[in-house]
Amino acid sequence: MAAHAFDLTGKAALVTGANTGIGQGIAVALAKAGADVALVARRDPSETRQLVEAEGVRAHIVMADLSSIEPCQRIVEETVAAFGKVDILVNNAGIIRREDALDFSEEDWDAVMDVNLKVLFFLSQAVARHMTGWSSQDGARGKIVNIASMLTFQGGIRVPSYTASKSGVGGLTKLMANEWAAKGVNVNAIAPGYIATNNTAALQADETRNRQIMERIPEGRWGDPADIGGAAVFLSSSAADYVQGHILAVDGGWLAR
Ligand code: NAP
């Protein structure tokens, strides 16, 4: 039984893209809150496994390439085999391709849309079929947390497929909430601001863009993957049982400007 509303003791979480960056930060935050965590990755997530296990909970690695929907059902089955259930799904894996819109290729369009939007939907569907099919002993609800972006709200520059995919994540978050709320599943999203990870390495290295970004962030710094963890714990917990279809910005104040 959870000691308080944010406690995830006994929960089974599944985090995609858990080997690095925001996915690693979220996996560790869920573990600190007491959840066992299945780490979905296409590259060895042993570092994250060590960090999760150091919190005294279980970690389970599921190797999968999320550029197609082929592994979605297997990911759920392997997690259920390891932990007996899936209580929490965090759809974090994502990619970005940068090019002027005039020159943007179909390959860069499809690659980003497949990982960021198509697989996010079909993995959510596979997990939601599991969640809506169970009868939880304590009446606890399933939680799906999607990782959106500032470009769920804004247009961005030189990232057309990324903007399309993350705007789509915002819409799908609301659609899934509308359909699954009455079936015992909460679906929400986190929109990170500018977080220092591989995803933003090009921006961090570009002196002009880096300065422009920093000037606009009221907090005056890039975010760290750990900054996203608290919001992920909240939206994964019973504290968020009545929160549906919400896109929670964790951006150091970027959108407030
Ligand atoms: P990251 O360090 O590049 O992490 C992305 C993760 O997704 C990595 O684990 C990556 O695996 C995984 N991934 C990508 N394609 C995959 C595939 N085909 N199969 C399996 N895993 C795959 O960047 P990040 O910033 O932490 O990004 C995490 C999420 O946050 C993404 O959805 C991103 O769009 C979003 N986001 C980031 C920021 C930011 O400022 N950093 C802002 C808003 C939203 P590999 O390591 O093997 O590539």
Side-chain angles (χ1 to χ4, degrees):
M1 195 62 186
H4 57 76
F6 297 90
D7 185 15
L8 299 180
T9 302
K11 301 293 181 187
L14 202 168
V15 179
T16 67
N19 55 299
T20 186
I22 292 171
Q24 182 178 71
I26 289 174
V28 172
L30 297 179
K32 281 184 193 294
D36 295 324
V37 191
L39 311 168
V40 182
R42 62 178 170 179
R43 287 189 300 129
D44 179 22
S46 293
E47 183 183 271
T48 309
R49 172 163 57 188
Q50 284 168 13
L51 294 169
V52 165
E53 288 177 344
E55 300 300 330
V57 296
R58 290 179 292 171
H60 179 76
I61 291 175
V62 181
M63 296 306 296
D65 181 349
L66 299 175
S67 59
S68 84
I69 69 169
E70 181 273 326
C72 289
Q73 188 56 36
R74 174 176 63 80
I75 290 168
V76 178
E77 287 166 6
E78 285 191 28
T79 306
V80 172
F83 299 148
K85 58 179 182 168
V86 183
D87 297 294
I88 298 158
L89 166 66
V90 180
N91 280 306
N92 165 78
I95 58 172
I96 194 163
R97 298 278 171 91
R98 299 178 195 277
E99 183 57 270
D100 293 347
L102 285 175
D103 298 322
F104 209 78
S105 70
E106 184 179 7
E107 197 274 330
D108 283 346
W109 179 271
D110 288 343
V112 172
M113 293 297 275
D114 283 351
V115 177
N116 293 13
L117 194 59
K118 185 176 179 181
V119 172
L120 176 144
F121 174 72
F122 283 100
L123 183 58
S124 300
Q125 181 192 65
V127 169
R129 284 175 176 165
H130 164 75
M131 288 173 169
T132 57
W134 77 20
S135 61
S136 154
Q137 285 176 344
D138 58 1
R141 303 175 60 84
K143 309 284 178 183
I144 297 178
V145 180
N146 298 320
I147 302 305
S149 165
M150 293 295 97
L151 301 192
T152 304
F153 307 105
Q154 302 177 305
I157 302 167
R158 302 186 75 245
V159 287
S161 57
Y162 189 80
T163 301
S165 70
K166 293 297 185 178
S167 296
V169 167
L172 274 182
T173 298
K174 295 172 194 168
L175 175 135
M176 294 190 284
N178 290 338
E179 291 207 23
W180 298 338
K183 298 180 189 294
V185 181
N186 292 74
V187 188
N188 291 289
I190 297 168
Y194 285 81
I195 313 297
T197 67
N198 299 336
N199 174 292
T200 49
L203 289 181
Q204 295 170 67
D206 181 330
E207 209 173 301
T208 307
R209 291 284 288 127
N210 192 16
R211 181 178 45 75
Q212 290 169 340
I213 288 166
M214 290 274 278
E215 280 172 358
R216 191 190 149 146
I217 301 173
E219 281 267 357
R221 65 170 176 91
W222 284 74
D224 182 83
D227 288 316
I228 308 301
V233 169
F234 165 56
L235 292 174
S236 298
S237 74
S238 65
D241 275 356
Y242 202 59
V243 181
Q244 283 287 8
H246 186 66
I247 303 165
L248 176 55
V250 182
D251 64 352
W254 172 274
L255 288 179
R257 285 295 274 266

